[in-house]
């Protein structure tokens, strides 16, 4: 007998029909003699609707109330799944985050899980109850509802598996596993059988939304093997696990893209020590993370300072940056929402020169201009015009020999 944690995403829970399908899958694993904790997301589209409502009510929705609102989608789906299972004759019980409790910090809309109490869950499991837990949400030390960032149910599931020392952690989604790039964008994408935490961390942080980045951080920290697979078939998916010698020895293992960043440029900044900190500190104080940064070579004592922030923080970041720009006597602040970040990721890049050259030449051959670049040991990211996203992903996928063909 094993303890199995399964997570079902929004598409898998997208209709009553699909929730019934999930209930059947859960029942099958339970009938095989396993203890089960099932984490679910809101039905697809529901969280987006709630976010849109918040933005209709206010330009800067109150952060505490925002989390109360967006956490609501999961309350619906846990109840529906528990009802289905009960109607099928199983013992099942739904739980919201605060009822477990899943304790987080108070960083609303991007809270971090600090502790999960397993007491109630153990008691339920002992009497054969299937636990249905709301993903994406928790509660802070004040008792306020918090959410973990978009896609956060993945993190709820992996954290739950770590807390319960589960034997199996399965993330059921609408694709067969982790692919060399988004299979919905590139039909030549190939399923990866096993991928290291390090590579998956990069892919997730660079836009591959198949797993939320924090879920991979948790998995790595607590050594949880995560099996990403489809809720629509029985195929084996992808194992996200510790790096080992049996992993494919490839230079580049995947291509990711993100369209949810915005470029902000502070033009004609007086070029003197401390300027970067002056521009960026107010943003970090507001809990806005800055991603790519470029500072031009200075001309006549002035420079341009450009960076990207998440689209979700755009309005706030712009307001803050305009204020800073005025205080440091910069000429103006320009923005560009039509950008996209395309990245190549691979452990093999650690020991190979020339990967960047191949990437840049491939893009140049298609006439794609590179606006910003950033690199680490195992990834290279470029910012390009958003209209080239698909083309860039496809040609890079080909250039690095990733196609399934
Ligand atoms: P869920 O609702 O189950 O959490 P998501 O929509 O969050 O599902 O994540 C699954 C989606 O991730 C897929 O439909 C696919 O379009 C996208 N995706 C992006 N990059 C990849 C990749 N490298 N491998 C697999 N899926 C990817
Ligand atoms: N329902 C949440 C979202 O749409 C959490 C998740 O799906 O993982 O972001
Ligand atoms: Mg998701």
């Amino acid at each position: 007998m094993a303890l199995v944690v399964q997570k079902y995403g929004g598409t898998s829970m997208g209709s009553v029909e699909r929730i019934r399908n999930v209930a059947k899958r859960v029942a099958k694993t339970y009938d095989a003699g396993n203890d089960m904790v099932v984490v679910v997301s809101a039905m697809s589209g529901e969280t987006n609707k709630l976010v849109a409502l918040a933005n209709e009510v206010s330009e800067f929705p109150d952060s505490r109330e925002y989390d109360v609102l967006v956490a609501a989608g999961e309350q619906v789906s846990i109840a529906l799944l528990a009802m289905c299972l009960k109607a099928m004759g199983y013992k099942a019980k739904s739980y919201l985050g605060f009822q477990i409790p899943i304790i987080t910090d108070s960083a609303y809309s991007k809270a971090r899980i600090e502790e999960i109490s397993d007491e109630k869950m153990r008691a339920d499991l002992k009497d054969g109850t299937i636990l249905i837990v709301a993903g994406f949400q928790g509660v802070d030390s004040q008792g306020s509802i918090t959410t973990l960032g978009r896609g956060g149910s993945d993190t709820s599931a992996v954290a739950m598996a770590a807390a319960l020392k589960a034997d199996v952690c399965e993330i059921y989604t609408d694709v067969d596993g982790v692919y060399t790039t988004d299979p919905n964008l590139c039909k030549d994408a190939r399923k990866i059988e096993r991928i290291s935490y390090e590579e998956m961390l990069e892919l997730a942080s660079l836009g591959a939304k198949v797993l939320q980045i924090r879920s991979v951080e948790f998995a790595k920290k607590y050594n949880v093997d995560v099996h990403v697979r489809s809720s629509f078939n029985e195929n084996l998916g992808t194992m996200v696990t510790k790096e080992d010698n049996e992993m494919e020895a490839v230079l580049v293992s995947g291509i990711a893209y993100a369209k949810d960043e915005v470029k902000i440029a502070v033009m004609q900044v007086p070029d003197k020590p401390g300027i970067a900190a002056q521009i960026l500190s107010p943003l970090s104080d507001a809990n806005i993370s800055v991603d790519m940064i470029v500072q031009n070579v200075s001309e006549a004592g002035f420079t341009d300072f450009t960076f990207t922030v998440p689209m979700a923080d755009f309005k706030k970041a712009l307001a803050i940056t305009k204020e800073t720009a005025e205080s440091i006597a910069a000429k103006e602040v320009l923005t560009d929402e039509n950008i996209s970040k395309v990245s190549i990721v691979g452990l093999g890049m650690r020991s190979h020169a020339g990967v960047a050259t191949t990437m840049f030449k491939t893009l140049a051959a298609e006439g794609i201009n590179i606006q910003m670049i950033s690199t680490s040991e195992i990834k290279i990211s470029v910012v390009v015009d958003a209209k080239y996203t698909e083309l860039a992903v496809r040609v890079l996928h080909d250039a690095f020999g990733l196609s399934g063909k």
Side-chain angles (χ1 to χ4, degrees):
M1 190 164 95
L3 173 53
V4 179
V5 172
Q6 294 186 337
K7 176 254 169 177
Y8 291 90
T11 315
S12 308
M13 297 288 291
S15 64
V16 167
E17 207 41 55
R18 289 189 173 174
I19 293 174
R20 282 208 185 100
N21 171 54
V22 168
K24 279 186 202 143
R25 284 181 166 261
V26 171
K28 195 173 155 198
T29 309
Y30 179 85
D31 288 341
N34 299 297
D35 284 339
M36 295 203 60
V37 176
V38 184
V39 175
V40 298
S41 299
M43 296 168 76
S44 58
E46 290 305 313
T47 311
N48 285 347
K49 277 187 207 158
L50 298 170
V51 170
L53 282 174
N55 290 329
E56 248 182 75
V57 166
S58 157
E59 196 183 357
F60 297 105
D62 177 83
S63 54
R64 180 186 182 277
E65 306 314 328
Y66 178 90
D67 276 15
V68 173
L69 177 70
V70 300
E74 274 71 12
Q75 180 160 350
V76 174
S77 54
I78 53 170
L80 291 173
L81 179 58
M83 280 174 194
C84 275
L85 281 161
K86 284 179 169 169
M88 288 160 66
Y90 291 86
K91 272 199 235 174
K93 195 169 175 185
S94 67
Y95 277 104
L96 290 165
F98 79 88
Q99 293 173 310
I100 295 284
I102 298 169
I103 309 282
T104 72
D105 62 17
S106 303
Y108 298 116
S109 84
K110 40 189 128 180
R112 282 182 182 272
I113 295 177
E114 291 179 338
E115 203 189 320
I116 295 179
S117 161
D118 64 352
E119 213 175 298
K120 273 190 209 159
M121 292 193 281
R122 297 262 178 225
D124 275 341
L125 290 170
K126 213 167 168 190
D127 89 340
T129 301
I130 301 171
L131 271 96
I132 315 292
V133 180
F136 182 50
Q137 57 173 264
V139 62
D140 70 4
S141 55
Q142 316 298 309
S144 296
I145 292 174
T146 55
T147 63
L148 311 179
R150 297 307 304 269
S153 299
D154 298 329
T155 303
S156 310
V158 176
M160 201 62 87
L164 289 165
K165 300 192 176 58
D167 301 286
V168 179
C169 179
E170 295 175 320
I171 304 283
Y172 284 93
T173 181
D174 55 3
V175 289
D176 270 356
V178 180
Y179 279 67
T180 47
T181 191
D182 186 347
N184 288 320
L185 187 88
C186 177
K187 64 176 182 354
D188 291 334
R190 186 172 49 83
K191 186 165 78 186
I192 303 170
E193 269 175 39
R194 285 150 53 76
I195 188 168
S196 67
Y197 295 129
E198 288 76 13
E199 285 167 306
M200 194 63 236
L201 268 178
E202 290 287 355
L203 284 177
S205 72
L206 296 169
K209 68 168 183 165
V210 61
L211 284 180
Q212 197 203 32
I213 175 163
R214 282 188 186 159
S215 71
V216 191
E217 287 171 359
F218 253 100
K220 185 177 175 207
K221 186 166 173 196
Y222 296 100
N223 245 312
V224 179
D225 285 350
V226 178
H227 188 179
V228 181
R229 56 196 306 190
S230 168
S231 67
F232 301 116
N233 60 46
E234 299 295 331
N235 299 349
L236 286 180
T238 300
M239 267 300 182
V240 185
T241 184
K242 215 157 86 183
E243 182 186 357
D244 65 33
N245 295 332
E246 282 160 43
M247 275 170 188
E248 295 176 54
V250 289
L251 195 58
V252 171
S253 50
I255 319 268
Y257 66 93
K259 291 182 176 174
D260 56 356
E261 284 185 35
V262 189
K263 197 165 81 176
I264 299 182
V266 190
M267 309 301 284
Q268 287 195 28
V269 182
D271 191 12
K272 50 187 181 204
I275 278 297
Q278 263 178 292
I279 295 175
L280 300 179
S281 309
L283 295 167
S284 64
D285 291 346
N287 206 7
I288 296 172
S289 51
V290 169
D291 181 24
M292 312 272 275
I293 301 171
V294 169
Q295 184 176 337
N296 290 12
V297 176
S298 81
E299 248 177 75
F302 289 94
T303 186
D304 301 330
F305 191 90
T306 309
F307 54 89
T308 64
V309 295
M311 185 87 82
D313 291 326
F314 180 40
K315 274 193 264 175
K316 212 167 161 192
L318 184 58
I320 292 172
T321 306
K322 279 189 168 160
E323 214 169 282
T324 311
E326 206 169 303
S327 74
I328 59 176
K331 183 172 172 232
E332 61 184 334
V333 178
L334 302 179
T335 62
D336 186 355
E337 293 175 64
N338 289 314
I339 57 158
S340 148
K341 182 171 69 172
V342 178
S343 312
I344 60 174
V345 171
L347 288 179
M349 287 163 62
R350 284 196 291 228
S351 49
H352 278 80
V355 180
T357 315
T358 305
M359 182 181 195
F360 302 157
K361 275 190 182 157
T362 305
L363 296 173
E366 298 295 330
I368 301 173
N369 185 41
I370 298 172
Q371 302 178 13
M372 302 170 99
I373 301 172
S374 81
T375 64
S376 80
E377 232 191 348
I378 64 166
K379 67 114 199 213
I380 304 171
S381 300
V382 297
V383 167
V384 299
D385 190 320
K387 71 178 181 223
Y388 293 125
T389 313
E390 259 184 72
L391 178 62
V393 168
R394 289 210 185 112
V395 294
L396 291 172
H397 196 263
D398 253 4
F400 290 103
L402 295 177
S403 297
K405 286 182 291 193

